[in-house]
C-alpha cells in the first residue's frame, strides 16, 4: 500500500501502482471525468501513470493552468496525427503548449499548407478525437529510440535524442501516431471536443535563421464548443485592441528600418502620453519623498564589473565601444548609476530612507525573434527608483511601494492583479545567483512577511529572482482578460557591499544599507502598449493626446470656434478645430475614429447663445453647455485623473 497526501493535508492509503485516475474515481466518477493530469510530488504526470511510492497529489482539471497546458500539448499531438494522415512523409520537430493553445513545427518536404488545408485538418482532428484513443506512455532505451527514427529518416528527432540518455526517453502513442515526448498527456483524445487551427507561420529549426525554415501551425482546443466560441470572440476583440495597430492609427509610435528594430520613435501624440505619465509619477514620487536624479546613457566597463551585471547580464547588453583604450557600455540599467549618486556624499542614519527616482533611458539587446511592438524593445524609458534603507525601515518602505502600485491600479482601472514573488534556486548559487545562502533566506523572508501582513495577493515562483536578490513581478490583466507583466519591485542585499555603500548608524559605526529597486509604472514602452489595449485606444481625458475637438458646422462659425479654442488653451486643455469643408456628420465620424474624448459642435444656435453642443466619445450627444461650465468640468476631470 502507498500513502497519498492531498492538498488539504488529508492522507489516504491506496494499492501500490494506483494512478491519479484511480484515486479520482475513489472520490467520485464526476471528478474522474474532469481530471486531465495530476501533480505528483510537484511534477505533472499523466493521470493514468502508476504511482509506486508515498506521494503528495493534486488532481488537475481544466480549471488549473497545468491541466490546460496538458490538454493543449495533447491537442498538438492530435494535430500531428491529422497532419501525418493528410500529408504522408511529414517530419516533426517540437509541439509545445503555449499561453493560449499550442503549435507544432514540421517539415512538409516543400509542400505548403493553405487555409483550406487547416479546415481539412480540423475535420480530421475531430474525427480522430471521437475515436477516444488513449495516450500511451512508454519508456524506451536510447538505442531503440535512435533506431526507430533512423528507419523513419527523421533527422529532427535524432537531433533531440543526442541530448538524452537512457532513462530519460519516453514515447507517446495515440491512434496511429507515435512521438518522442516527455509528456504528460490527457487520458484520451475523446476529451478534446472543440478545435480551431488559427494560424500558419514559418519558424527556423532551433530558432536559428541559418537553419531550414519549418512550417508552424498554431491551434487552440477546448473541452466544449461554448468555450471555443467565447475564446474566438476574445481573440477577435484582442485583434481590434492590438497596440501595434492602434499605435499606428492614433499616431502614437512608429518603427523605422533606418533606425533599427526595437527602437521606437515616439510621435507627437505618443509624446503627450509620455509626458502625462511622467507628470503622474513625478507628483506621486515627490509626495512620497523621492529625490529626482539624471544619469548618463553610457558608462565605463568598470561600473558594470563592480555591479556584477557583466558576468550575469552581458548577453542582454549591447557590445562595448572602445575610446582611448577604455571600454564603454550603453546603459542597460539605472541602478549602478544611482548607487554612485548615493556614495557621492556622506550619509548618516538620519538621511535614511534615501529615495532616488529617475525616468532613465536604458538599452537592452533583445533577440530579434523576441521583439514585439512596444512590449519587447531595445530602447526603454523606465520609471525607476532605488530606496536605501535599514532593515528596520524595510517593512514600511516595501509596503509603501506596494501601496503606490495599488494607487496606480485604481487610476488606470486595473481590477485584477497579482504579485509574483520570484525566489532563487539554491542549486544555482554562484552561477545564476550570488552565493549568499543566508542572505537569500533572510531577504526572501522579509518580502514574504510584507505580503502576508498586508494581505497582498501573491504567488511564489522559484528560480526567477534577480541575481542579487528576490523580486516581485507585478502581473496585471486588461479589461479583456489579457495578462501583462507590468513592473518589478526588487530587494538587493549585494550591491551595497559591491559599491561599498555606507551610512553611519546610531552607534556611529559604518553600516551597509538594504536596497529596494522599484518601477511601479514599468517602462513607457510596455505600459503604453498595455494602456492602448486596455482602453482600446480610448484614453481617459487626462491622458488623451487630443482632449477636445471643435466641430464648426460651416466656415461661417470658424471665428466663434477660434474663440472657444483660445479659452480651452488658456485652461491648458489640448484642443483643435476641424476646419475642413466637410459635412458635420463626417466630422463627427472621423473624430469618433480618432477616439477624441470630447467633441464640441458649434453652429448658429450655439454661437447666438454663447454655448457649445457637447458630444462624448462613444456615447453621443450630452446636451448644450456654456464654455465656462464645460471648462470647469474638464479641469476637474483632468485634475482627478478620472478613468472614464
Amino acid at each position: 500500500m502507498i500513502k497519498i497526501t492531498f492538498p488539504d493535508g488529508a492522507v489516504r492509503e491506496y494499492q501500490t501502482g494506483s494512478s491519479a485516475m484511480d484515486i479520482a474515481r475513489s472520490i467520485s466518477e464526476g471528478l474522474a471525468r474532469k481530471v486531465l493530469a495530476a501533480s505528483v510530488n510537484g511534477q505533472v504526470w499523466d493521470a493514468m501513470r502508476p504511482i509506486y511510492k508515498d506521494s503528495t497529489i493534486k488532481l488537475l482539471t481544466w480549471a488549473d493552468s497545468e491541466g490546460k497546458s496538458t490538454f493543449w500539448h495533447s491537442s498538438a499531438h492530435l494535430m500531428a496525427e491529422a497532419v501525418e494522415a493528410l500529408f504522408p512523409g511529414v517530419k516533426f520537430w517540437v509541439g509545445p503548449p503555449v499561453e493560449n493553445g499550442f503549435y507544432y513545427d514540421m517539415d512538409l518536404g516543400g509542400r505548403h499548407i493553405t487555409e483550406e488545408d487547416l479546415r481539412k485538418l480540423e475535420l480530421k482532428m475531430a474525427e480522430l478525437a471521437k475515436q477516444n484513443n488513449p495516450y500511451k506512455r512508454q519508456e524506451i532505451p536510447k538505442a531503440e529510440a535512435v533506431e526507430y527514427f533512423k528507419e523513419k529518416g527523421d533527422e529532427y528527432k535524432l537531433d533531440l535524442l543526442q541530448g538524452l540518455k537512457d532513462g530519460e526517453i519516453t514515447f507517446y502513442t495515440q491512434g496511429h501516431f507515435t512521438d518522442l515526448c516527455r509528456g504528460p498527456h490527457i487520458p484520451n483524445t475523446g476529451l478534446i471536443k472543440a478545435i480551431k487551427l488559427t494560424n500558419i507561420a514559418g519558424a527556423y529549426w532551433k530558432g536559428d535563421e541559418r537553419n531550414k525554415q519549418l512550417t508552424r501551425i498554431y491551434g487552440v482546443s477546448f473541452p466544449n464548443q461554448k468555450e471555443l466560441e467565447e475564446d474566438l470572440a476574445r481573440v477577435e476583440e484582442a485583434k481590434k485592441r492590438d497596440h501595434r495597430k492602434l499605435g499606428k492609427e492614433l499616431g502614437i509610435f512608429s518603427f523605422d528600418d533606418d533606425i533599427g528594430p526595437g527602437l521606437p520613435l515616439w510621435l507627437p501624440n505618443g509624446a503627450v502620453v509620455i509626458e502625462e505619465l511622467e507628470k503622474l509619477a513625478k507628483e506621486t514620487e515627490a509626495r512620497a519623498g523621492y529625490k529626482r536624479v539624471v544619469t548618463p546613457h553610457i558608462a565605463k566597463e568598470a561600473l558594470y564589473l563592480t555591479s556584477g551585471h557583466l558576468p550575469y547580464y552581458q548577453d542582454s547588453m549591447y557590445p562595448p565601444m572602445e575610446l582611448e583604450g577604455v571600454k564603454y557600455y550603453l546603459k542597460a540599467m539605472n541602478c549602478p548609476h544611482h548607487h554612485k549618486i548615493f556614495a557621492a556624499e556622506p550619509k548618516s542614519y538620519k538621511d535614511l530612507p534615501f529615495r532616488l527616482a529617475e525616468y532613465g533611458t536604458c538599452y537592452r539587446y533583445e533577440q530579434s525573434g523576441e521583439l514585439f511592438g512596444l512590449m519587447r524593445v531595445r530602447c526603454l524609458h523606465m520609471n525607476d527608483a532605488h530606496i536605501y534603507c535599514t532593515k528596520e525601515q524595510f517593512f514600511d518602505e516595501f509596503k509603501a511601494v506596494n501601496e503606490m502600485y495599488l494607487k496606480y491600479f485604481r487610476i488606470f482601472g486595473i481590477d485584477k492583479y497579482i504579485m509574483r514573488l520570484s525566489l532563487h534556486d539554491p542549486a544555482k548559487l554562484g552561477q545564476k545567483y550570488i552565493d549568499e545562502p543566508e542572505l537569500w533566506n533572510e531577504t526572501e523572508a522579509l518580502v514574504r512577511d510584507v505580503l502576508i501582513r498586508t494581505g497582498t495577493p501573491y504567488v511564489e515562483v522559484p528560480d526567477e529572482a534577480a541575481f542579487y536578490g528576490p523580486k516581485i513581478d507585478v502581473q496585471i490583466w486588461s479589461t479583456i482578460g489579457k495578462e501583462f507583466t507590468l513592473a518589478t519591485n526588487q530587494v538587493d542585499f549585494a550591491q551595497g557591499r559591491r559599491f561599498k555603500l555606507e551610512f553611519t548608524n546610531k552607534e556611529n559605526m559604518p553600516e551597509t544599507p538594504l536596497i529596494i529597486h522599484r518601477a511601479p509604472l514599468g517602462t513607457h514602452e510596455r505600459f503604453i502598449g498595455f494602456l492602448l489595449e486596455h482602453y482600446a485606444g480610448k484614453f481617459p481625458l487626462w491622458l488623451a493626446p487630443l482632449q477636445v475637438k471643435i466641430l464648426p458646422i460651416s466656415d461661417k462659425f470658424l471665428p466663434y470656434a477660434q474663440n472657444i479654442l483660445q479659452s480651452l488653451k488658456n485652461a491648458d486643455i489640448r484642443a483643435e478645430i476641424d476646419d475642413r469643408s466637410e459635412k458635420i456628420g463626417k466630422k463627427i465620424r472621423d473624430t469618433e475614429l480618432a477616439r477624441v474624448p470630447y467633441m464640441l459642435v458649434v453652429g448658429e444656435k450655439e454661437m447666438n447663445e454663447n454655448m457649445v453642443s457637447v458630444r462624448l466619445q462613444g456615447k453621443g450627444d450630452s446636451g448644450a453647455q456654456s464654455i465656462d461650465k464645460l471648462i470647469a468640468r474638464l479641469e476637474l476631470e483632468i485634475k482627478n485623473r478620472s478613468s472614464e
Side-chain angles (χ1 to χ4, degrees), residues 389-403 445-455 514 516:
C389 64
T390 66
K391 287 181 183 177
E392 293 74 24
Q393 294 168 335
F394 176 81
F395 180 91
D396 288 335
E397 291 302 307
F398 206 82
K399 175 174 175 281
V401 171
N402 284 344
E403 288 173 347
L446 285 171
V447 176
R448 192 180 290 112
D449 177 58
V450 177
L451 296 170
I452 292 171
R453 286 169 60 187
T454 57
L514 201 58
I516 299 172

Side-chain angles (χ1 to χ4, degrees), residues 455-469:
T456 303
Y458 79 100
V459 294
E460 294 192 6
V461 183
D463 197 23
E464 287 195 12
F467 73 85
Y468 47 65

Side-chain angles (χ1 to χ4, degrees), residues 129-142:
K130 288 176 183 177
Q131 294 176 7
N132 294 322
N133 291 319
Y135 288 87
K136 299 176 183 177
R137 180 180 185 273
Q138 184 181 7
E139 295 182 4
I140 302 288
K142 183 168 183 175

Side-chain angles (χ1 to χ4, degrees), residues 433-500:
Y433 305 109
I434 288 174
D435 192 4
E436 297 277 3
E438 291 183 6
L439 286 172
W440 275 106
N441 293 333
E442 181 182 6
T443 50
E444 287 174 353
L446 285 171
V447 176
R448 192 180 290 112
D449 177 58
V450 177
L451 296 170
I452 292 171
R453 286 169 60 187
T454 57
T456 303
Y458 79 100
V459 294
E460 294 192 6
V461 183
D463 197 23
E464 287 195 12
F467 73 85
Y468 47 65
K471 65 173 180 173
I472 286 177
D473 287 319
V474 184
Q475 301 300 114
I476 59 174
W477 282 261
S478 70
T479 52
I480 60 167
K482 187 173 179 181
E483 184 179 358
F484 294 80
T485 300
L486 170 63
T488 188
N489 191 7
Q490 303 176 357
V491 189
D492 182 351
F493 57 76
Q495 298 277 297
R497 285 183 300 165
R498 281 178 171 270
F499 281 90
K500 299 179 181 178

Side-chain angles (χ1 to χ4, degrees), residues 345-360:
E345 298 174 333
K347 302 286 186 300
S348 82
Y349 69 92
K350 294 180 181 179
D351 297 310
L352 272 55
F354 192 75
R355 310 178 189 98
L356 297 177
E358 175 182 18
Y359 250 112

Side-chain angles (χ1 to χ4, degrees), residues 553 557 560 564 600-614 624-625:
I553 290 175
F557 307 108
Y560 181 57
I564 295 169
L600 309 183
V601 179
V602 293
E604 189 81 39
K605 186 174 184 293
E606 288 79 16
M607 185 176 67
N608 291 338
E609 296 177 3
N610 199 29
M611 304 280 277
V612 290
S613 289
V614 181
Q625 201 166 9

Side-chain angles (χ1 to χ4, degrees), residues 75 100 158 207 277 287-288 292 298 337 375 387 408 466 484:
S75 299
N100 288 301
L158 289 170
L277 290 175
R287 294 190 189 104
R292 300 209 67 78
I298 63 172
H337 300 71
M375 298 303 179
I387 302 168
Y408 289 145
F484 294 80

